[in-house]
Amino acid sequence: MATLVLTAVGTAIGGPIGGAIGSLIGSQLDGAVFGGGSREGPRLQELAVTTSSYGMPIPRHFGTMRAAGSIIWATDLVESSDESGGKGQPTMTTFSYSISFAVALASRPISSIGRIWADGNLLRGGAGDLKVGGSFRLYTGEGDQQPDPLIAADKGAECPAFRGMAYCVFEDLQLADYGNRIPALTFEIVADDGEVTLRSILSAKSQHDTVDRTLDDLQGYSDGGGPLRYMLETVDRIYPMACDASGAHLTFFDAHPSSEAVVRLPEAAIDQSAESFGATSGRTSQRRADATDVPSGLRYYDVDRDFQSGLQRADGRAQPGRNHILEFPGALAAVKAHELANDAAERANWSQERLAYRVAELDPDLGPGRLVAIDGRPGNWRIEAWEWRENGLELELLRMPYRRGAVVASDAGTSLPPKDVIASPTRLMAFELPWDGQGSPDQRQIFAAASAVTSGWTGAGLYAEQSGSLVAIAGTGSRRCITGRTAAPLRPSTSLIIDRRTALDVQLDSDDFALFSVILEDLANGANRALVGDEVLQFCHAQRLGGGLWRLSGLLRGRGGTEHEALAGAASGVPFCLLDQKLTGLDPAKIGASNIIAAIGVADSEPVIATISTPRRSLKPLSPVHGKTVRAADGSTRLCWRRRSRGAWHWQGQVDVPLNEQFEHYEVGLGDPGRPIRMWETNTCSLMLDPAEYASLQTDFGGTPFWVRQIGTHDRSEPLFLTNVS
């Protein structure tokens, strides 16, 4: 009765929308009389992923929501290949793919897009930065938006502008991190600023209605389409609404206000006819003691858990038996959701008490949704429906709860959201290190050290400059090398013993970089090697001073034949790099004659350039050591020394080190090594000068130094000072 009457009244006054609202008001009364049925409205989904199904509805979003979209255009996959390997390793070709596509987001204009998730990981951070290669464009759905140029280039004159629909375009999105496929995308859609209002939800379909109902603390809502009645029923279960169709337009207001009853009903009118309810009393009551109609919890989108679905139970605990859970496609904080769950349970429990009541006169204040009081009945009652008959005005009344749901502390639950770290530009060093004894002694050991100031850096492609263009040679991977600069000068050292008095202060490029102390045994096994300028050194102790500043002590200087650099020391601001497994080895064959390396990462607007320092160092023999002079009784002089070997970083004691050259050969010079006065060559670790020759040198070049250096397969070593002519 109530539904039919109110539908007719609503249609006459408010048109089809008014009829739908009238059906909404009377539906609960019909359920009490004829038995309720299941209602299908907007459903809460487990963050449905992006689809491309034809005919799928594009929802309307309000406030801020996380939702998937529908792919409306895409290109074919674009394949690229990259070869990696070198230093005696097999060459491997890897293939990666990129794609351009467009995703429809909302069927009404939106304000902006926040974060984007791909397969549950962040693809776009809160600062608008993409975590992988590609570009992103957003069209907010305004009526004057123009076609996207990339789609227009593909579709030509048939390209639509999709006016009135918000969509985004990904151009050349790199798919390597997602198994070379389009990932499952969800978007943080900011449709409106501030909280969601009922007026904004109804504005497109009922522009002339009056809305006096707030949706407190509702931060987002998604309407997947369908009849307006179903959407309003969904909202009504959480935010109870009343509707008055007695005026020129529909009026929506709070069906559970905190105010008291607006009027007290007069005595019930008596009707002696057998066709009317209540007969001589003018009233009849009904209470359905059905606990299954009382919701035990509320499922919603939790804003504190990146809009994942959450569940808050009324009274904070599960009830025995089958539970009736309300599903609400809205974004709420956990505390508010718990309050609404308690409130809904209170209303459902008390609303099972209903009363049919007849009055003899028509009061303008007695309209649907109004609160009234009744003599002899405690509490407030809400007018659900009314019908004018010959014997009076028949009212359908619903008992209102004594209290609202309790506001109690609540928890959204444990969540492990992906870290949103902004990708920072690449920092690049390139250098050649002394040969470490691995692989061929004829192979140069060239490395790139790529890093960044934040952990959001995801790696970079490496290129060699050849004939004015960049040629791809390798990729860095996502691990950052530990790099920085010296914060104070490093004094010279003879590199003979562990320097326990000198400390090196280093300012690392990132505060989250860490260095570790080791024992002397680890140091002997090659731990804690670092490149400071052109010198290779090792350190025993690492002390964090704060703010990325570290103090290194227990130094072993001039490692790998870099004792000449140790003798020179290092100024403040010299580059520092920890020599560990994070370095990227480069293939000399791909580099060619170039000494220029470039890196391009996600956050690099242009290539980052570095010059390879100390080129051909890997092929350079180490200078001899332990030089001495032996004078014989006959006046002859013997210059002698000990050889060292490339790749032999550890001192072998009395065992002769391997040669690691195609031949053993030395040159001994007198005077400046760059412009020697006299030169001798020998194939042994000594040179004998007879008495007459040495006497002549004493006469002509007294005080001039002798030096020796090894002639290797590819280069000459640094000279070793032997003695002065005396």
Side-chain angles (χ1 to χ4, degrees), residues 13-14 17-18 21 24-25 198-199 202 206 208-213 241-255 367-370:
I13 297 176
I17 296 177
I21 304 306
L24 167 65
I25 298 171
L198 184 59
R199 171 161 292 283
L202 296 174
S206 55
H208 303 292
D209 296 337
T210 301
V211 179
D212 188 20
R213 177 59 168 110
M241 295 181 293
C243 178
D244 187 357
S246 60
H249 304 290
L250 293 177
T251 301
F252 295 89
F253 48 90
D254 191 348
R370 303 300 180 182

Side-chain angles (χ1 to χ4, degrees), residues 60 62 196-204 215 221 231 235:
R60 299 186 304 152
F62 304 89
V196 180
T197 64
L198 184 59
R199 171 161 292 283
S200 65
I201 297 177
L202 296 174
S203 60
L215 307 178
Y221 185 80
M231 184 272 292
V235 177

Side-chain angles (χ1 to χ4, degrees), residues 479-482 529 577-584:
R479 297 196 303 171
R480 295 177 295 158
C481 293
I482 297 180
R529 291 179 184 173
C577 179
L578 187 68
L579 303 180
D580 58 10
Q581 299 301 317
K582 299 183 182 70
L583 299 178
T584 302

Side-chain angles (χ1 to χ4, degrees), residues 687-709:
L687 175 68
M688 180 66 72
L689 299 174
D690 59 44
E693 184 178 15
Y694 192 77
S696 174
L697 294 176
Q698 286 177 315
T699 302
D700 298 334
F701 308 108
T704 304
F706 277 109
W707 50 263
V708 61
R709 58 185 171 193

Side-chain angles (χ1 to χ4, degrees), residues 264-284 355-362 366 374-375 387-395 397:
R264 180 169 293 275
L265 293 180
E267 288 291 333
I270 299 174
D271 181 18
Q272 299 294 342
S273 66
E275 298 180 358
S276 181
F277 68 85
T280 57
S281 67
R283 65 174 72 180
T284 182
L355 181 64
Y357 197 95
R358 184 188 309 109
V359 294
E361 59 184 27
L362 180 61
L366 299 181
I374 306 172
D375 290 335
E387 183 177 1
W388 182 254
R389 291 180 179 271
E390 294 180 357
N391 53 3
L393 183 64
E394 296 182 357
L395 304 177
L397 305 178

